[in-house]
Structures are given as structure tokens and as C-alpha cells.
Amino acid sequence: MTVSTPESTGLTSTHRYLVLTICCASLLISVMDISIVNMALPAIRDDLNASTAGLQWTVDAYTLVLASFLMLAGSTADRYGRKRMFRLGLIVFGLGSLLCSLAPGINTLIAARAVQAVGGTMLNPVAMAIVVTVFPDRAERARAIGVFGATAGLSLVLGPILGGALVDGLGWRSIFWVNLPIVVLAVVFTSRYVPESRAARGRRFDPVGQLLVVVLLGGVVTAIIESEKRGWTAPPIIALLVLAAVAAAVLIPYERRRDEPMLELRLFRSVPFSSAVVIALFAYSGFGVFLFLTTLYLQSVRHLSALDAGLSLLPVGLLICVLSPLTGRVVGAHGPRLPLVVAGSALTLGAVASSTIGLSTPLPVVLAIFLLFGVFLGVVNPPIANSAVSGMPVSMAGLAGSLASVGRQTGTTLGVAVAGSIVGATATTDPQRFVRAAHVVWWPMIAVGLVVVALALISTSRRARLTVQEL
């Protein structure tokens, strides 16, 4: 339930759509930052003499922090005010972008990326809550949410192209400069036009649960990334995995005892919801692998410029923009089964085809294979969102959506970590070995795609749908 202050009532249509524009701008820069940074990885590697692990952390420091703190940011905004938290997020994101642009070394860049992500956690979930608040009419709200969601697809189109143009023209630091004027304008317009709102009863902060989530995710990701250099049997790697396992073992019983847990375990009684989170985790691990390996392949193996590499991904982004709204209509009319089956099948076929790409594979063939990932990414998001919140009590819909977002960010983080740990130093030294290692990465992604298909069939069965009613 949302409480609207006098400032948020009686808004004109123009005012509401101005607020939507501000929220979409925040989504654009925070989501685009994932794809735009990937295009700069080879330039960052050369300029800062970064290892493959350093490149992994440049991506994963951002997505890992997002995954760890999304729920905290959402609940804090509900309690203390969404406008206040959104504006703070913009400022922190802008500060992180400035620090990234000034980073003298790879470790400083990684730390600045984490600062950026702290700001990012206060943008996307809070922006969605603001949009829902300022559009009380259900039909108008649906259209606004559609525009908001399409912005994510647009960011994937613009990210590689803008990133490639900036890297080629002004250097990799410019990909962070571009955020600054957008942030400044967004802060000014937020202060002037975005109404304040908060939940009638915000959830209490759960510091122990939050710490356990950070230890669990951080331990697993750090172990995967560092295993390539140290080996899986190294004491630090074993210690990290044990620490993550202990955190997981403690987290579930601890959260079960709390009256207002950060992780609402009873939501997982719903098979569609549980499947949506797992599908998000698996699907976006495939996305993370695709983006990380493709960027390095196009620039380091095929020696394309950053701009040409970005343009090579343009068809993928366009497919996402076209298919996402169409898929939303299919989900609304017929349910999530067909889009999820198509998404899992496209990921499977894309992984099989990618495992055949070599040093001299004709570029048109490579780009045709990329289209399979465009289909996958274009149809996977609407059914995940629908399955996560469909049938949920109104009081839990926001939390359910946040958990699905955590699954996406965690999957992206793990995909990059696994891909980087397998290709290792070959990403910077030996194109032939890199291609062979990339083939190894794609084989488990075939299984990931098949799991998505299986969960699509299981989660949309009549018996699975009945479990939602038990909440």
C-alpha cells in the first residue's frame, strides 16, 4: 500500500509523463552502464594493464552490488520516501561515474564501479515504485510501465553503439563522462517535479539478513573469479566457498524466524514465483556470458574497432526492442509458457551455434548467431515479470518483483565470473586458445537453456498455478 502526499495528488497528464521521463532516464543510464562498459573492456585492459580477473571485476563489482542491495534500497525508499532515495541514488551514481573516469588503476576503477552500483540500487526499483504511484489509472499505468520496460531494451541498443563510438573517439573514460550531464539534469528535475511518496508501513531493516546475503553472493562470485589464478583447491578459495555455504545455511532459518524478513521465504511456496527467480538467474547467466565473451571476441580476436563491435550488436538490441512489447501482449493474452519456451530454445540454439565460432568464421554467420540471443533476450523478460508477481498479494507484489530483479543481477554476475574464469589469461594473450576456451563456456549454457525450457513447462502447469493460491 502506498501513501501519497498532497504533492503527489492531482498531477496533470503532462506532469505525470515528465516524471516518467525522469525515471526512464535513470533506468537508461544505470542499465546501459552494463553493456557500455563491456565495450570498453579491451581498452581498459590495454590502458590499465588489467588482467582478465580485473576485467571480470570491472563488470561484476557493479552487478554484484546491485544484486546484494536491491531489496534494501526498495524497502528503505518505502519507509523514508521514494523521491528522497531516488535523488540520493542519482547523486551517488554520478559520483561513482566521476570516480570511474578518474581511476588511475584497475583496483580504483573496480572500487568506483561499486560506488556507482550503490547509487544504481536506489534507481531502478525506486523509479518503478514512483511510476506506479503517479499513474493511479490502471490502463495508463500499464502503458507507462510498458514505456519504462522498453527503455531497458533501448539501453541495450544504445550501450554498445554509444560505448564503441566514445571509446574510439574519446577513450574509455568518456563512457563515464556521458552519465554526468544526465545525472545533473535528472537531480534538478527530480527536485522540482517528482512527488514524494512512501509505503503506509515500511518494512524494518534486516541488518543480519543483509549481511548474510552479501557474504553468500560475494563469497561465491569471488571464489569463481579468483579460482582461475589460485586454483579451486587453494585455501582462500575453499574458505570463501565454506563461508558462503555457512551464510546460506544460516540465512534461511534466520529469515524464517523474523516477523518482517528481508527475504520473504513463503513467497517460494509459489511454484511460478520460484521458477521465475530461477529462470531469471539462469537466463541472465547466459546474458552475462554472451556479453562478456562477444565483446572480447569481436575486438581481441576479430580485431574490430569498439564502434564496429558495438554496431555488430545493433541487430540484437533492435530485436529486443521489437520483441519485448509483442511478448508482453502474448503473455497478457495467453500466459508466459510459450515465450519462456521460445526464450530457452533460442538460448540453447545460440549456445550450440556459438560453440562452433572460430577465428575465421564469416562475420555474417557470427552476426546471424547473435540474432538467436536477440530473440532470447527479447522474449524472456515479460514472462519472468509476469510469473513473479501474478497472483501475488498486493502487499507482496513489489517484493516479488525485486527478488526477480535480484535473480537477474545475480545471474549476470555469475555468468561473467564463470566465463572469465574459464577463458582466463587467454582473453589477453592467445586468440586461438581464447576461442577454444569460449567453446567450453558455451556447453554448460546449452544445459542452462534446456533448464529454462523445462521450468517453463513445469511452472505453467495447472498444479503449479494452484500453489499461488496457498500464499
Side-chain angles (χ1 to χ4, degrees):
M1 181 178 179
T2 298
V3 171
S4 298
T5 66
E7 186 184 357
S8 65
T9 59
L11 300 181
T12 65
S13 177
T14 301
H15 193 159
R16 288 196 296 271
Y17 279 96
L18 179 57
V19 172
L20 175 62
T21 301
I22 296 167
C23 291
C24 286
S26 76
L27 178 68
L28 184 69
I29 58 174
S30 60
V31 173
M32 188 170 62
D33 224 63
I34 298 173
S35 58
I36 201 171
V37 166
N38 270 271
M39 299 309 300
L41 290 180
I44 292 171
R45 175 194 63 202
D46 296 341
D47 187 38
L48 301 183
N49 194 29
S51 65
T52 301
L55 298 182
Q56 289 172 274
W57 276 119
T58 301
V59 178
D60 275 355
Y62 188 81
T63 55
L64 179 60
V65 171
L66 283 179
S68 299
F69 293 100
L70 273 173
M71 288 183 289
L72 172 62
S75 61
T76 303
D78 286 345
R79 177 179 286 270
Y80 295 108
R82 295 176 183 125
K83 173 181 178 177
R84 179 183 300 177
M85 187 62 60
F86 183 67
R87 184 168 51 199
L88 177 62
L90 286 167
I91 293 170
V92 174
F93 185 87
L95 175 62
S97 298
L98 178 61
L99 293 175
C100 286
S101 72
L102 299 174
I106 190 65
N107 292 330
T108 309
L109 177 61
I110 292 167
R113 287 282 284 165
V115 174
Q116 238 192 341
V118 170
T121 63
M122 304 179 223
L123 297 182
N124 293 0
V126 181
M128 174 60 80
I130 291 172
V131 170
V132 170
T133 300
V134 300
F135 287 91
D137 178 75
R138 180 173 297 181
E140 196 175 20
R141 179 190 299 170
R143 290 193 295 270
I145 291 175
V147 172
F148 190 78
T151 303
L154 179 63
S155 69
L156 293 176
V157 176
L158 292 178
I161 299 172
L162 181 60
L166 288 171
V167 170
D168 280 352
L170 300 173
W172 66 265
R173 296 179 189 275
S174 63
I175 67 172
F176 300 108
W177 299 339
V178 74
N179 293 332
L180 301 180
I182 299 175
V183 166
V184 171
L185 287 174
V187 169
V188 171
F189 279 88
T190 297
S191 301
R192 178 66 180 86
Y193 295 107
V194 174
E196 185 60 282
S197 65
R198 54 178 57 85
R201 184 172 179 272
R203 298 174 72 87
R204 296 177 183 173
F205 178 45
D206 180 6
V208 175
Q210 181 65 67
L211 177 62
L212 290 171
V213 167
V214 172
V215 172
L216 171 59
L217 295 179
V220 171
V221 172
T222 303
I224 293 173
I225 290 177
E226 295 299 323
S227 65
E228 191 274 329
K229 179 172 63 176
R230 300 173 182 268
W232 283 105
T233 59
I237 303 301
I238 295 174
L240 284 168
L241 293 175
V242 170
L243 190 62
V246 170
V250 173
L251 178 64
I252 294 176
Y254 174 79
E255 292 293 283
R256 187 176 289 142
R257 290 194 300 268
R258 281 185 61 87
D259 294 332
E260 293 184 354
M262 181 187 70
L263 188 63
E264 188 67 74
L265 294 175
R266 66 190 175 109
L267 291 178
F268 290 91
R269 297 174 191 167
S270 163
V271 173
F273 169 78
S274 300
S275 298
V277 174
V278 176
I279 289 171
L281 178 69
F282 275 65
Y284 272 77
S285 68
F287 167 69
V289 166
F290 170 73
L291 205 56
F292 187 78
L293 292 184
T294 297
T295 300
L296 293 175
Y297 172 80
L298 291 174
Q299 296 187 61
S300 299
V301 176
R302 301 303 292 261
H303 305 295
L304 297 183
S305 68
L307 177 58
D308 288 340
L311 290 172
S312 297
L313 295 177
L314 176 60
V316 175
L318 292 177
L319 266 177
I320 295 170
C321 285
V322 171
L323 291 177
S324 290
L326 294 177
T327 303
R329 294 175 193 169
V330 172
V331 171
H334 304 289
R337 171 175 286 197
L338 178 60
L340 285 175
V341 170
V342 171
S345 301
L347 175 57
T348 301
L349 292 174
V352 170
S354 295
S355 67
T356 68
I357 294 176
L359 291 173
S360 57
T361 302
L363 195 57
V365 174
V366 174
L367 299 183
I369 292 172
F370 289 174
L371 292 179
L372 290 168
F373 292 96
V375 173
F376 153 62
L377 291 167
V379 301
V380 77
N381 266 322
I384 288 175
N386 177 272
S387 299
V389 302
S390 181
M392 286 288 168
V394 175
S395 60
M396 295 185 181
L399 178 60
S402 295
L403 286 169
S405 295
V406 170
R408 292 187 189 96
Q409 298 300 337
T410 303
T412 303
T413 304
L414 292 175
V416 172
V418 169
S421 67
I422 293 176
V423 300
T426 62
T428 60
T429 58
D430 188 335
Q432 183 64 57
R433 289 180 60 194
F434 171 81
V435 168
R436 288 199 299 267
H439 291 170
V440 174
V441 178
W442 284 118
W443 282 106
M445 291 301 105
I446 297 172
V448 165
L450 294 174
V451 168
V452 171
V453 173
L455 288 175
L457 299 174
I458 293 170
S459 64
T460 54
S461 66
R462 182 176 180 276
R463 179 176 296 182
R465 290 195 299 269
L466 290 176
T467 60
V468 180
Q469 301 173 8
E470 299 172 4
L471 294 176

